Amino acid sequence: MGERTVSNTRKKMSESEIAAKLPTLNAWTLNHGKLHRDFQFADFVEAFGFMTRAALIAESMNHHPEWFNVWNKVSVDLNTHDAGGVTEMDFTLAAKMDALLKP
């Protein structure tokens, strides 16, 4: 008793686990201990629309990105703060963000 159980999706991944899984994502890199991707869209409305759709997914997962938007660009950083690094949850959210780009 008293020990906190961490689900596998929120368990900090090792550098080798991250390196092995990173190629499964499209254009994501590891930057300062976070999954990182820069997205570019036709204009602000498309960028903001992407952020809105991504926000709904993030909220449903209770897993929120660090992101920055200027006009048609959105920069995203993902890590799991309570785990102290990148987890399976970050990879799941990254893949769901990528899926939003498919027609």
Side-chain angles (χ1 to χ4, degrees), residues 11 21 35 41 45 52 58 62 67 83 91-92:
K11 181 177 175 257
K21 190 148 179 115
L35 294 183
F41 301 91
V45 171
T52 301
N62 192 28
W67 53 12
F91 277 94
T92 300

Side-chain angles (χ1 to χ4, degrees), residues 3-74:
E3 285 186 36
R4 193 172 120 202
T5 304
V6 177
S7 74
N8 286 339
T9 60
R10 289 192 181 267
K11 181 177 175 257
K12 182 179 176 180
M13 298 172 74
S14 70
E15 287 185 26
S16 60
E17 289 172 322
I18 294 167
K21 190 148 179 115
L22 202 52
T24 67
L25 297 175
N26 183 30
W28 290 83
T29 60
L30 186 64
N31 188 13
H32 301 290
K34 299 174 184 179
L35 294 183
H36 175 82
R37 181 167 179 190
D38 294 316
F39 295 89
Q40 186 165 338
F41 301 91
D43 55 29
F44 176 74
V45 171
E46 281 192 26
F48 194 82
F50 167 80
M51 290 179 76
T52 301
R53 292 186 306 277
L56 293 172
I57 292 168
E59 182 63 19
S60 74
M61 295 174 65
N62 192 28
H63 190 58
H64 306 95
E66 296 176 25
W67 53 12
F68 181 76
N69 164 245
V70 175
W71 191 58
N72 69 334
K73 294 180 176 83
V74 178

Side-chain angles (χ1 to χ4, degrees), residues 9 35 63 78-80 85-95:
T9 60
L35 294 183
H63 190 58
L78 299 175
N79 77 339
T80 305
V86 174
T87 67
E88 191 66 42
M89 189 83 114
D90 299 302
F91 277 94
T92 300
L93 182 52

